[in-house]
Coordinates of all heavy atoms in Angstrom, one line a residue:
F1163 N -5.3 1.7 11.0 CA -5.7 2.7 10.3 C -7.1 2.8 10.1 O -7.8 1.8 10.3 CB -4.9 2.8 8.9 CG -5.3 1.5 8.2 CD1 -6.5 1.6 7.3 CD2 -4.5 0.4 8.2 CE1 -6.7 0.4 6.5 CE2 -4.9 -0.8 7.4 CZ -6.1 -0.7 6.5
V1164 N -7.5 4.0 9.5 CA -9.1 4.1 9.3 C -9.0 4.9 8.0 O -8.4 5.7 7.7 CB -9.8 5.1 10.3 CG1 -11.2 5.3 9.8 CG2 -9.8 4.5 11.7
L1165 N -9.6 4.2 7.0 CA -9.8 4.7 5.6 C -11.2 4.5 5.2 O -11.9 3.6 5.6 CB -8.9 4.0 4.6 CG -7.4 4.3 4.8 CD1 -6.6 3.4 3.9 CD2 -7.1 5.7 4.6
T1166 N -11.7 5.3 4.1 CA -13.2 5.3 3.7 C -13.2 4.6 2.4 O -12.3 4.7 1.5 CB -13.7 6.7 3.6 OG1 -13.4 7.4 4.9 CG2 -15.0 6.7 3.3
D1167 N -14.2 3.7 2.3 CA -14.4 3.0 1.0 C -15.1 3.8 0.0 O -15.6 4.9 0.2 CB -15.0 1.6 1.3 CG -16.4 1.6 1.6 OD1 -17.1 2.7 1.5 OD2 -16.9 0.6 2.3
M1168 N -15.4 3.2 -1.1 CA -16.1 3.9 -2.2 C -17.5 4.3 -1.9 O -18.0 5.0 -2.7 CB -15.8 3.1 -3.6 CG -14.3 2.8 -3.9 SD -13.2 4.1 -3.6 CE -13.8 5.2 -5.0
D1169 N -18.0 3.5 -0.9 CA -19.4 3.8 -0.6 C -19.6 4.8 0.5 O -20.6 4.9 1.1 CB -20.1 2.5 -0.3 CG -20.2 1.6 -1.4 OD1 -20.4 2.0 -2.6 OD2 -20.0 0.4 -1.3
G1170 N -18.4 5.3 1.1 CA -18.4 6.2 2.1 C -18.4 5.6 3.5 O -18.5 6.3 4.5
N1171 N -18.2 4.2 3.5 CA -18.1 3.5 4.8 C -16.5 3.5 5.2 O -15.8 3.3 4.5 CB -18.5 2.0 4.7 CG -19.9 1.9 4.1 OD1 -20.9 2.6 4.7 ND2 -20.2 1.2 3.2
K1172 N -16.5 3.7 6.6 CA -15.2 3.8 7.2 C -14.6 2.4 7.6 O -15.5 1.5 8.1 CB -15.2 4.6 8.5 CG -15.3 6.1 8.2 CD -14.5 7.0 9.2 CE -14.9 8.4 8.9 NZ -14.2 8.9 7.8
H1173 N -13.5 2.1 7.4 CA -12.9 0.8 7.7 C -11.7 1.0 8.6 O -10.8 1.6 8.2 CB -12.4 0.1 6.4 CG -13.6 -0.3 5.6 ND1 -14.1 -1.7 5.7 CD2 -14.3 0.3 4.5 CE1 -15.2 -1.7 4.8 NE2 -15.2 -0.5 4.1
K1174 N -11.8 0.4 9.8 CA -10.7 0.6 10.8 C -10.2 -0.8 10.9 O -10.9 -1.8 11.2 CB -11.1 1.1 12.1 CG -10.2 1.2 13.0 CD -10.7 1.9 14.5 CE -9.7 2.2 15.5 NZ -10.2 2.8 16.6
L1175 N -8.9 -1.0 10.7 CA -8.3 -2.3 10.6 C -8.5 -3.0 12.0 O -8.9 -4.3 11.9 CB -6.8 -2.2 10.4 CG -6.0 -3.6 10.3 CD1 -6.6 -4.4 9.1 CD2 -4.6 -3.5 10.2
S1176 N -8.3 -2.3 13.1 CA -8.7 -3.1 14.4 C -10.1 -3.5 14.6 O -10.3 -4.5 15.4 CB -8.2 -2.2 15.5 OG -8.9 -1.0 15.5
D1177 N -11.0 -3.1 13.7 CA -12.3 -3.6 13.9 C -12.5 -5.0 13.3 O -13.4 -5.8 13.6 CB -13.4 -2.7 13.1 CG -13.5 -1.4 13.8 OD1 -13.3 -1.3 15.0 OD2 -14.2 -0.4 13.2
Y1178 N -11.4 -5.5 12.5 CA -11.5 -6.7 12.0 C -10.8 -7.8 12.8 O -10.6 -9.0 12.4 CB -10.8 -6.7 10.6 CG -11.6 -6.0 9.6 CD1 -11.3 -4.6 9.3 CD2 -12.6 -6.6 8.9 CE1 -12.1 -4.0 8.3 CE2 -13.4 -5.9 8.1 CZ -13.1 -4.5 7.6 OH -13.8 -3.9 6.8
K1179 N -10.4 -7.4 14.0 CA -9.7 -8.3 15.0 C -10.6 -9.6 15.1 O -11.9 -9.5 15.3 CB -9.5 -7.7 16.4 CG -8.4 -8.3 17.1 CD -7.8 -7.4 18.2 CE -6.5 -7.8 18.7 NZ -5.4 -6.8 18.4
G1180 N -9.9 -10.8 15.2 CA -10.8 -12.0 15.3 C -11.0 -12.5 13.9 O -11.5 -13.7 13.7
Q1181 N -10.8 -11.8 12.7 CA -10.8 -12.4 11.4 C -9.5 -12.2 10.8 O -8.6 -11.4 11.2 CB -11.8 -11.5 10.6 CG -13.2 -11.3 11.3 CD -14.1 -10.4 10.4 OE1 -14.4 -10.7 9.3 NE2 -14.5 -9.4 11.0
G1182 N -9.3 -12.9 9.8 CA -8.0 -12.8 8.8 C -8.3 -11.6 8.1 O -9.4 -11.5 7.5
V1183 N -7.3 -10.9 7.7 CA -7.3 -9.8 6.7 C -6.3 -9.9 5.6 O -5.2 -10.1 6.0 CB -7.2 -8.4 7.3 CG1 -7.4 -7.3 6.4 CG2 -8.3 -8.3 8.5
F1184 N -6.8 -9.9 4.4 CA -5.9 -9.8 3.2 C -5.8 -8.5 2.8 O -6.7 -7.9 2.1 CB -6.7 -10.8 2.2 CG -5.9 -11.2 0.9 CD1 -5.1 -12.3 0.9 CD2 -5.9 -10.3 -0.1 CE1 -4.4 -12.8 -0.1 CE2 -5.3 -10.7 -1.2 CZ -4.5 -11.9 -1.3
L1185 N -4.7 -7.8 3.2 CA -4.6 -6.3 3.1 C -3.7 -6.2 1.8 O -2.5 -6.4 1.8 CB -4.0 -5.7 4.2 CG -3.7 -4.2 4.3 CD1 -5.0 -3.5 4.2 CD2 -2.9 -3.8 5.5

Side-chain angles (χ1 to χ4, degrees):
F1163 60 86
V1164 179
L1165 291 173
T1166 305
D1167 69 18
M1168 305 315 293
D1169 298 323
N1171 302 312
K1172 294 214 179 290
H1173 293 268
K1174 184 175 182 180
L1175 184 64
S1176 57
D1177 289 345
Y1178 292 99
K1179 208 163 193 119
Q1181 302 177 67
V1183 178
F1184 191 91
L1185 181 64

